Amino acid sequence: MRNLNLSEITQIVNNELEIFNHKFQGSIWSENKIVNIIIKYLLKQKGKRIRPLLVILSSKIIGNVTDRTYRGATLVELLHTATLVHDDVVDEAETRRGFPSINAVWKNKAAVLIGDYLLAKGLMLAVDGNDFDFLKVITNTVKRMSEGELLQSSKTRKLNNDEETYYKIISDKTASLISTCCEIGARSVTNDETKILAMKNYGENLGMAFQIRDDILDYIGKKSLLGKPLGGDIREKKLTLPLIFALKNSNQDVSKIILSLMKKNEKDINVDKVIDFVKNNGGIEYSEKVSKEYGQKAKEQLNIFHDSQIKNSLLELVDFILERKK
Amino acid sequence: MRNLNLSEITQIVNNELEIFNHKFQGSIWSENKIVNIIIKYLLKQKGKRIRPLLVILSSKIIGNVTDRTYRGATLVELLHTATLVHDDVVDEAETRRGFPSINAVWKNKAAVLIGDYLLAKGLMLAVDGNDFDFLKVITNTVKRMSEGELLQSSKTRKLNNDEETYYKIISDKTASLISTCCEIGARSVTNDETKILAMKNYGENLGMAFQIRDDILDYIGKKSLLGKPLGGDIREKKLTLPLIFALKNSNQDVSKIILSLMKKNEKDINVDKVIDFVKNNGGIEYSEKVSKEYGQKAKEQLNIFHDSQIKNSLLELVDFILERKK
């Protein structure tokens, strides 16, 4: 069976996504002109909106979308946007979604501050809505995301990483927020902790699969689809699952040579050689196997829910994440 | 009468400050080694702790210090530390309190993330303590602080600023948090909105006086006391009250020359010439007059409270802020 594309999967909640878009755009503005100029620029680079989508689907598999669901969706999208802007400072990224990044246009200064602003706006929304259960979940998520990024950055500096630490890093930096989206969606319509936990675990496993797929695409993706050149992680000396596995799986003398290649200055690294090494030593297959296992675990979480179109969408979303090309 | 120094003013709450220090240090750690290395470094550079002091004094002028007071004090100090770390990225500062800044030692990457971590830790503390009134106040403060910094940064880039905008900027970026400290201290022990408002306004006015004094010290302070060279604002092309007034108060041709001096590259700016210009055109006297007016307004807020040692400390704190040399 052909996998569906994202707009086919999300069709069923098109109406809710449109309402979300209005609410999100209404929630983001400041009285401050310079803040709004930057926000206008950010809104142009609309992402895939997977996080609000997950909030909405996770509420609809249990009950009916409420105001709280939309606030939750807005909260996670504001937080996600904030962390993207901060990540671009962290990664010294020059582009984001094909546009020059905020820090490239307005310097780190504005990027740090607009990130803080967006985070505060999201939290204010939850405070004003008395969504204290959301605040509990989201503040812990912010903490885990920063810890995950810091752990990744320390491993990157030392150019060492192992599989176990890699999973810890991606769970904290990526899966935590995806999981939070699903938890918040569920919490917005039910107090049933069994259902909430199922959605939280669905999100955690989907998030792991999502990040591993991201890391695979940095080796096998198409530049034209990704909007950025391959091998970004190699240039940043970031050891992700495909490379971690290949280094362990290959002759140790060869591994040493590869690592010494990566110690060079960014522009002197022979990226193609590292990519070939990973491909030739099973790094891609292994990572695909692991991401599929996470995808399978995500799907199993949905067993407690009876069949429905929404459940189908959540199942199809797993396959979309596992197979996506960008 | 001789003005008291800070330790004489705070003596009366030494016991509470010590308890605060223990609680603060107990609240900050992570399970993540790299996070803790940076935090250890941050804790070495203990600041003046004026914000927790204000929380404690503002609670004690009304009632008895509670667990909520300590959580409030910890929350504001965590937030303040977070913003200092982010500010150093914003200002590209190389030192902070005489130490190399986090961004200078660990790069912007770690500075952005550790700031996010500290902010999240503070908010988690309030969430876990069910201090939702604190969350309402503090998230709005985070928003205002980032807006204030962004407005300042846009004015700096254009090298234009007027007195009204200057007050808006310092109210948002500095006075908002000082005011929040006093409000949270009061809220931790009472529901009486008159008393809470009095302390909030005390803090707002004290915060304005505090920032204007800071901006004056950049012109007339002693490098040995400040731990940084004079004229930092000039080099950053930041137009603060002393210079804004001098530019308006002097011959417009001379003002144009001064502004054109400041358009040069940082290292080519004749800082001494700008400092002399400000001094010779009444910039210091005017700023001192304005800061004293804010100090007076802060003191007047305390009229509703009966006389006490704590009230004396809060009054003395105003004079200390107005006269401080560092």
Side-chain angles (χ1 to χ4, degrees):
Chain A
M1 194 189 85
R2 177 184 75 89
N3 280 322
L4 300 173
N5 67 34
L6 191 58
S7 65
E8 289 168 319
I9 298 171
T10 63
Q11 212 171 11
I12 187 172
V13 288
N14 264 353
N15 194 22
E16 287 86 351
L17 281 173
E18 203 167 310
I19 297 174
F20 160 77
N21 274 330
H22 281 285
K23 290 191 184 257
F24 180 70
Q25 296 212 11
S27 72
I28 201 166
W29 304 104
S30 165
E31 290 158 25
N32 184 316
K33 241 166 54 184
I34 174 81
V35 173
N36 289 343
I37 291 171
I38 302 177
I39 285 173
K40 206 166 167 184
Y41 182 83
L42 273 173
L43 285 179
K44 270 196 217 152
Q45 322 159 38
K46 204 178 131 179
K48 290 191 277 284
R49 296 273 157 95
I50 283 186
R51 287 159 193 83
L53 171 68
L54 281 169
V55 176
I56 291 166
L57 289 173
S58 301
S59 72
K60 286 200 81 169
I61 199 175
I62 299 172
N64 286 320
V65 168
T66 66
D67 275 354
R68 249 164 75 73
T69 313
Y70 288 118
R71 278 204 303 279
T74 305
L75 169 59
V76 297
E77 190 66 6
L78 283 169
L79 168 59
H80 175 59
T81 311
T83 57
L84 284 187
V85 176
H86 277 182
D87 281 0
D88 286 338
V89 181
V90 167
D91 296 340
E92 293 160 18
E94 293 290 317
T95 60
R96 162 73 65 186
R97 294 171 179 166
F99 287 79
S101 63
I102 296 291
N103 52 317
V105 179
W106 280 281
K107 305 277 163 74
N108 282 335
K109 200 181 284 245
V112 172
L113 294 169
I114 209 78
D116 292 350
Y117 168 85
L118 293 168
L119 176 58
K121 278 292 253 188
L123 296 172
M124 283 172 73
L125 206 69
V127 170
D128 289 341
N130 291 318
D131 305 312
F132 300 122
D133 51 345
F134 292 179
L135 285 170
K136 190 157 197 137
V137 176
I138 209 85
T139 50
N140 189 45
T141 307
V142 175
K143 181 184 86 86
R144 281 184 63 194
M145 289 171 83
S146 56
E147 285 176 329
E149 289 279 357
L150 278 163
L151 181 56
Q152 175 171 281
S153 129
S154 89
K155 289 290 162 190
T156 298
R157 227 167 10 136
K158 293 181 198 147
L159 205 66
N160 81 7
N161 204 357
D162 54 47
E163 208 171 324
E164 195 188 343
T165 310
Y166 168 81
Y167 295 133
K168 167 81 178 139
I169 288 171
I170 68 170
S171 170
D172 279 350
K173 77 164 189 166
T174 306
S176 65
L177 181 56
I178 307 271
S179 172
T180 289
C181 293
C182 299
E183 179 176 351
I184 280 181
R187 279 196 191 282
S188 73
V189 294
T190 188
N191 295 319
D192 182 334
E193 292 292 336
T194 310
K195 288 179 182 164
I196 292 169
L197 185 64
M199 288 319 299
K200 182 180 164 173
N201 288 339
Y202 166 86
E204 172 72 24
N205 285 293
L206 182 70
M208 296 296 283
F210 182 90
Q211 184 60 53
I212 296 170
R213 182 67 192 165
D214 223 55
D215 295 337
I216 292 170
L217 283 174
D218 199 49
Y219 285 89
I220 63 160
K222 280 208 178 105
K223 189 183 162 177
S224 59
L225 285 173
L226 295 175
K228 60 184 180 186
L230 291 192
D233 290 339
I234 299 168
R235 270 181 287 269
E236 289 174 26
K237 308 182 198 304
K238 205 185 280 176
L239 269 64
T240 61
L241 190 57
L243 182 52
I244 291 171
F245 179 83
L247 285 169
K248 219 176 78 182
N249 192 41
S250 79
N251 178 300
Q252 289 310 295
D253 293 336
V254 180
S255 289
K256 271 182 197 156
I257 292 168
I258 293 292
L259 278 175
S260 69
L261 275 181
M262 287 184 64
K263 279 181 190 143
K264 293 185 179 180
N265 284 329
E266 188 180 321
K267 61 178 183 2
D268 300 326
I269 297 176
N270 187 335
V271 172
D272 290 340
K273 194 161 180 176
V274 181
I275 292 180
D276 286 343
F277 167 79
V278 166
K279 287 180 175 168
N280 294 333
N281 285 278
I284 304 303
E285 289 83 349
Y286 180 75
S287 303
E288 285 182 335
K289 181 175 86 68
V290 174
S291 72
K292 268 182 197 141
E293 285 166 7
Y294 278 112
Q296 190 51 38
K297 274 187 236 163
K299 288 180 178 177
E300 285 165 12
Q301 302 298 321
L302 303 180
N303 286 343
I304 65 163
F305 300 103
H306 60 72
D307 290 345
S308 70
Q309 276 189 294
I310 295 288
K311 180 168 165 177
N312 271 348
S313 288
L314 284 163
L315 292 169
E316 283 158 358
L317 194 58
V318 176
D319 292 324
F320 168 76
I321 294 292
L322 289 174
E323 305 289 337
R324 73 201 164 91
K325 307 279 185 237
K326 61 175 182 175
Chain B
M1 194 189 85
R2 177 183 76 87
N3 280 324
L4 300 173
N5 66 34
L6 191 58
S7 66
E8 287 168 319
I9 298 171
T10 62
Q11 212 171 12
I12 189 172
V13 288
N14 264 355
N15 194 22
E16 286 86 351
L17 282 172
E18 203 167 308
I19 296 174
F20 160 77
N21 273 330
H22 281 286
K23 290 190 184 258
F24 180 70
Q25 296 213 10
S27 72
I28 203 167
W29 304 105
S30 164
E31 291 159 24
N32 184 316
K33 241 167 52 184
I34 174 81
V35 174
N36 288 342
I37 290 170
I38 302 177
I39 285 173
K40 206 167 166 182
Y41 182 83
L42 274 173
L43 285 179
K44 270 196 216 154
Q45 324 158 37
K46 204 177 129 178
K48 291 193 277 282
R49 296 274 156 93
I50 282 186
R51 287 159 192 83
L53 171 68
L54 281 169
V55 176
I56 291 166
L57 288 174
S58 301
S59 72
K60 285 200 83 171
I61 199 174
I62 298 171
N64 285 319
V65 168
T66 65
D67 275 355
R68 247 164 75 73
T69 314
Y70 288 119
R71 278 203 304 277
T74 305
L75 169 59
V76 296
E77 189 66 8
L78 283 169
L79 168 58
H80 174 59
T81 310
T83 57
L84 285 186
V85 175
H86 278 182
D87 282 359
D88 287 338
V89 181
V90 167
D91 296 340
E92 291 161 20
E94 293 289 317
T95 60
R96 164 71 65 185
R97 295 171 178 166
F99 287 78
S101 62
I102 296 291
N103 52 316
V105 179
W106 280 280
K107 306 276 164 75
N108 282 335
K109 198 181 285 245
V112 171
L113 294 168
I114 209 80
D116 292 351
Y117 169 84
L118 292 169
L119 176 59
K121 278 292 251 186
L123 296 171
M124 283 172 74
L125 206 68
V127 170
D128 289 340
N130 291 318
D131 305 312
F132 300 122
D133 51 346
F134 292 179
L135 284 170
K136 189 155 198 138
V137 177
I138 209 84
T139 48
N140 189 45
T141 306
V142 174
K143 180 185 87 87
R144 282 184 64 194
M145 290 171 81
S146 57
E147 285 175 330
E149 291 277 358
L150 279 162
L151 182 55
Q152 175 172 281
S153 128
S154 89
K155 289 291 161 187
T156 298
R157 227 166 13 133
K158 292 180 198 149
L159 206 65
N160 81 8
N161 204 356
D162 54 47
E163 208 172 324
E164 196 187 342
T165 310
Y166 168 80
Y167 295 133
K168 168 80 178 140
I169 288 170
I170 67 170
S171 170
D172 280 350
K173 79 165 188 165
T174 306
S176 65
L177 181 56
I178 306 271
S179 173
T180 290
C181 293
C182 299
E183 178 175 352
I184 280 181
R187 278 195 193 283
S188 73
V189 293
T190 188
N191 295 319
D192 182 333
E193 291 293 336
T194 310
K195 288 179 182 166
I196 292 169
L197 186 63
M199 289 318 299
K200 182 180 164 173
N201 289 339
Y202 167 86
E204 172 70 25
N205 285 294
L206 182 72
M208 296 298 283
F210 182 91
Q211 185 61 53
I212 296 171
R213 181 68 191 164
D214 222 57
D215 294 339
I216 292 170
L217 283 175
D218 199 50
Y219 285 90
I220 63 160
K222 280 205 177 107
K223 188 183 162 177
S224 59
L225 285 173
L226 294 174
K228 61 183 178 186
L230 291 192
D233 290 340
I234 301 168
R235 270 181 287 267
E236 288 174 27
K237 308 181 199 301
K238 206 186 279 177
L239 270 64
T240 62
L241 190 55
L243 182 51
I244 291 170
F245 179 83
L247 286 168
K248 219 177 76 181
N249 192 40
S250 79
N251 177 301
Q252 289 310 296
D253 293 337
V254 180
S255 290
K256 272 183 196 155
I257 292 168
I258 293 293
L259 279 175
S260 70
L261 275 181
M262 287 185 63
K263 279 180 191 144
K264 294 184 178 180
N265 285 330
E266 188 181 320
K267 61 177 184 4
D268 299 326
I269 297 176
N270 187 336
V271 172
D272 290 340
K273 194 162 180 175
V274 182
I275 292 180
D276 285 344
F277 167 79
V278 167
K279 286 181 177 169
N280 295 332
N281 287 280
I284 304 303
E285 287 84 350
Y286 180 75
S287 303
E288 285 181 337
K289 182 174 87 67
V290 174
S291 73
K292 269 182 197 140
E293 286 166 5
Y294 279 112
Q296 190 51 39
K297 273 188 238 164
K299 287 179 179 179
E300 285 164 13
Q301 302 298 321
L302 304 181
N303 287 343
I304 65 162
F305 300 104
H306 60 72
D307 291 344
S308 69
Q309 277 190 294
I310 295 288
K311 181 168 165 177
N312 271 348
S313 288
L314 284 163
L315 292 169
E316 283 157 358
L317 195 58
V318 176
D319 292 323
F320 167 77
I321 294 292
L322 289 174
E323 305 289 337
R324 73 201 164 90
K325 308 278 185 237
K326 61 173 181 175

